[in-house]
Amino acid sequence: DVKVTQSSRYLVKRTGEKVFLECVQDMDHENMFWYRQDPGLGLRLIYFSYDVKMKEKGDIPEGYSVSREKKERFSLILESASTNQTSMYLCASRGDRAYGYTFGSGTRLTVV
Amino acid sequence: AQSVTQLGSHVSVSEGALVLLRCNYSSSVPPYLFWYVQYPNQGLQLLLKYTTGATLVKGINGFEAEFKKSETSFHLTKPSAHMSDAAEYFCAVSGGISSYKLIFGSGTRLLVRP
């Protein structure tokens, strides 16, 4: 089975800190995604990557950046964390289109 | 453009009753369709999927869904609800013939009463 591992389940950071959320997949998938999930707003796509060093903005990229230096790792960066970035962050990867996404367990980030 | 509508943000059933979660989609190409389940403070887990072939697909935990092209629907059912089925359920459609993105519905929270 594909495994997508997010480095932290829970994080608490201070306003203004630079925050790194890490995601690693072990099945050589080319496509990786970062979503945030908020009550009543569903899943919103922040960024995705379809190859090493390639990235595209999703629906809500403001305040975020990403890095994909190796195929298996896709990092989400909050350049200067703000309280409105308190959320659940979900990473996913996808290989063949017929197989959908495989999600990580999520990182619940609280910015204080 | 692809889109997904899930009717009912909350559905409540009694234990042992039929579960029916509704999903309608819009797609300009033959769709790939998915149902995911999310337990509290967890990521999403694939329940089942339709790509081609048989329109009635079976998934994990006794769930199944039927692709109905004429109704543009992909409703999720389970004959008998169990307390452990309480979770949030998301329907998704592949975002176009060359897209690797999934388009998600807003989710339906299933409550199971004892």
Side-chain angles (χ1 to χ4, degrees), chain A residues 1-106:
Chain A
D1 282 351
V2 177
K3 285 205 173 110
V4 177
T5 303
Q6 294 184 232
S7 53
S8 303
R9 293 296 305 276
Y10 299 93
L11 273 180
V12 180
K13 296 292 182 181
R14 294 192 181 278
T15 301
E17 276 193 78
K18 190 169 187 177
V19 180
F20 293 85
L21 303 184
E22 306 288 346
C23 176
V24 177
Q25 51 97 1
D26 66 357
M27 279 298 288
D28 205 36
H29 284 176
E30 292 181 344
N31 304 281
M32 296 187 74
F33 306 83
W34 275 106
Y35 286 83
R36 66 177 281 177
Q37 183 179 22
D38 302 285
L41 297 177
L43 292 158
R44 294 182 289 169
L45 181 63
I46 305 172
Y47 268 97
F48 66 101
S49 169
Y50 50 90
D51 204 347
V52 176
K53 297 190 187 293
M54 307 301 286
K55 60 186 179 186
E56 281 196 26
K57 294 180 180 179
D59 302 317
I60 52 162
E62 296 78 19
Y64 302 94
S65 62
V66 290
S67 171
R68 192 158 180 211
E69 297 296 318
K70 293 185 177 181
K71 194 172 187 179
E72 66 271 18
R73 185 181 296 271
F74 190 36
S75 303
L76 179 69
I77 303 157
L78 287 65
E79 297 290 344
S80 177
S82 65
T83 54
N84 63 13
Q85 292 178 309
T86 291
S87 186
M88 170 71 118
Y89 290 87
L90 294 165
C91 175
S93 74
R94 189 178 191 188
D96 189 289
R97 290 182 68 247
Y99 289 95
Y101 287 174
T102 300
F103 281 89
S105 298

Side-chain angles (χ1 to χ4, degrees), chain B residues 30-97:
Chain B
Y32 288 173
L33 294 159
F34 306 85
W35 274 101
Y36 286 85
V37 61
Q38 185 182 32
Y39 299 103
N41 291 313
Q42 298 283 332
L44 279 69
Q45 178 185 3
L46 182 66
L47 265 181
L48 50 78
K49 63 183 172 79
Y50 169 78
T51 52
T52 57
T55 56
L56 181 64
V57 293
K58 296 186 185 300
I60 61 172
N61 302 339
F63 284 92
E64 61 183 37
E66 187 170 11
F67 170 61
K68 291 189 176 180
K69 184 178 178 181
S70 61
E71 299 176 10
T72 61
S73 69
F74 190 56
H75 301 332
L76 182 70
T77 60
K78 182 174 180 178
S80 177
H82 192 272
M83 297 297 290
S84 60
D85 295 326
E88 190 154 22
Y89 293 80
F90 292 89
C91 182
V93 65
S94 231
I97 197 163

